[in-house]
């Protein structure tokens, strides 16, 4: 089967700084990847590059075996979706109307929403626990609620490749677990044919829910299963501090300590 996403010798730079180089990566369908690294390591830049919003310094990105730049915007919107780290609302809009915008790539003609679009938007809102807020103005929501509305919009868009920049941002502890479990279920369901890639700051959430991890650090990268790459020596190289690894009922816990 053709990989959903593949990179070949990908090199990413920003402001003259090397973020990663020679990245050869084929995240398999049915996997949940967390992209980890310290602030400024390039997590957001990598996601925007994979989404086609930024150009790499070198290398190629393929989606469904086609070069990313050769795919039309309309088709690209059906194949991949991006959740931004911050949401900005310049105008008043209901929560439901905002989520229905995720259905735009599937509309034709005048672009009017169908009953099916509305059903899928309401279903996505229910999935993130906000069905009761469908009529609210998005500008009245808390930061955590607004981020979950953005996640619902991505779910309504229903791409095979989900790229998420800090999906647990602004969430309380219970909501963080709920979001990560949702993404794990989305990626790893027996019928899943897609891939989920999320930039994340919390090593312990990544260790608990992700199947794989890509760690960025000082122009280097490490990738593999969470067991393979979430180790004290690799984390120390990537983050510049030591880590104590503890066993818990939910798996390993990573506690930063002075290097």
């Amino acid at each position: 089967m053709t990989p959903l996403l593949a990179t070949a010798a990908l090199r990413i730079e920003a402001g003259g700084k090397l973020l990663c180089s020679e990245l050869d990566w084929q995240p398999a369908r049915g996997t949940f990847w967390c992209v980890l690294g310290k602030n400024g390591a390039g997590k957001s830049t990598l996601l925007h590059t994979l989404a086609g919003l930024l150009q790499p310094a070198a290398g190629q990105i393929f989606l469904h075996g086609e070069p990313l730049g050769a795919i039309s915007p309309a088709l690209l919107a059906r194949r991949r979706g991006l959740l931004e780290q911050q949401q900005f609302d310049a105008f008043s809009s209901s929560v439901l109307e905002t989520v229905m915008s995720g259905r735009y790539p599937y509309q034709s003609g005048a672009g009017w929403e169908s009953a099916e679009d509305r059903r899928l938007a309401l279903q996505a809102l229910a999935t993130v626990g906000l069905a009761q807020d469908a009529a609210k103005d998005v500008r009245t929501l808390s930061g955590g609620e607004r981020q979950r509305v953005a996640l619902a919009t991505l779910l309504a868009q229903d791409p095979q490749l989900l790229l998420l920049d800090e999906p647990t941002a602004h969430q309380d502890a219970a909501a963080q677990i709920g979001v990560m479990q949702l993404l794990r279920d989305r990626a790893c369901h027996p019928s899943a044919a897609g891939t989920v890639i999320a930039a994340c700051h919390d090593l312990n959430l990544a260790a608990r829910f992700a199947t794989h991890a890509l760690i960025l650090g000082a122009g280097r990268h490490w990738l593999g299963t969470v067991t393979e790459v979430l180790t004290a020596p690799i984390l120390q190289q990537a983050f510049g501090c030591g880590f104590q690894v503890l066993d818990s009922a939910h798996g390993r816990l990573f506690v930063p300590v002075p290097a």
Side-chain angles (χ1 to χ4, degrees), residues 32 126-129 148 151 155 164 167-168 171-186 205 208-209:
F32 175 20
T127 300
V128 302
R148 280 189 284 150
L151 177 56
L155 295 177
L164 306 102
T168 59
Q171 306 293 333
D172 58 46
Q176 288 180 9
I177 292 173
V179 167
M180 293 296 281
Q181 185 64 63
L182 186 161
L183 296 177
R184 168 86 182 204
D185 292 345
R186 168 85 184 204
L205 283 176
R208 180 174 175 182
F209 292 101

Side-chain angles (χ1 to χ4, degrees), residues 152-169:
T153 306
L154 185 62
L155 295 177
Q157 183 183 342
D158 195 31
Q160 285 189 301
L161 176 63
L162 277 70
L163 304 168
L164 306 102
D165 195 358
E166 299 293 344
T168 59

Side-chain angles (χ1 to χ4, degrees), residues 6 60-72 76 79:
Q60 291 184 289
I61 302 170
F62 301 92
L63 196 59
H64 287 267
E66 298 180 63
L68 194 63
I71 303 173
S72 71
L76 192 59
R79 289 183 173 179

Side-chain angles (χ1 to χ4, degrees), residues 81-96:
L82 173 67
L83 173 70
E84 296 278 10
Q85 189 176 141
Q86 300 285 343
Q87 311 303 323
F88 301 97
D89 299 297
F91 303 102
S92 175
S93 176
S94 75
V95 166
L96 180 58

Side-chain angles (χ1 to χ4, degrees), residues 14-178:
K17 177 182 176 182
L18 175 64
L19 301 178
C20 74
S21 65
E22 297 301 319
L23 178 59
D24 296 311
W25 186 27
Q26 292 187 12
R29 298 170 191 260
T31 55
F32 175 20
W33 286 75
C34 275
V35 181
L36 304 164
K38 63 195 304 183
N39 291 339
K43 300 183 296 295
S44 297
T45 303
L46 172 63
L47 292 184
H48 283 77
T49 303
L50 295 176
L53 303 180
L54 295 175
Q55 289 297 313
Q60 291 184 289
I61 302 170
F62 301 92
L63 196 59
H64 287 267
E66 298 180 63
L68 194 63
I71 303 173
S72 71
L75 182 55
L76 192 59
R78 296 188 181 200
R79 289 183 173 179
R80 68 91 180 95
L82 173 67
L83 173 70
E84 296 278 10
Q85 189 176 141
Q86 300 285 343
Q87 311 303 323
F88 301 97
D89 299 297
F91 303 102
S92 175
S93 176
S94 75
V95 166
L96 180 58
E97 288 171 337
T98 300
V99 175
M100 289 240 279
S101 68
R103 299 300 304 161
Y104 182 77
Y106 302 93
Q107 296 163 8
S108 59
W112 297 109
E113 299 93 350
S114 67
E116 179 66 1
D117 291 329
R118 182 182 179 87
R119 184 189 71 78
L120 291 171
L122 287 170
Q123 178 179 293
L125 276 173
T127 300
V128 302
L130 293 175
Q132 72 283 358
D133 296 322
K136 284 186 177 180
D137 190 317
V138 290
R139 296 180 302 173
T140 68
L141 301 177
S142 70
E145 290 172 327
R146 183 62 185 87
Q147 192 71 347
R148 280 189 284 150
V149 169
L151 177 56
T153 306
L154 185 62
L155 295 177
Q157 183 183 342
D158 195 31
Q160 285 189 301
L161 176 63
L162 277 70
L163 304 168
L164 306 102
D165 195 358
E166 299 293 344
T168 59
H170 314 297
Q171 306 293 333
D172 58 46
Q176 288 180 9
I177 292 173

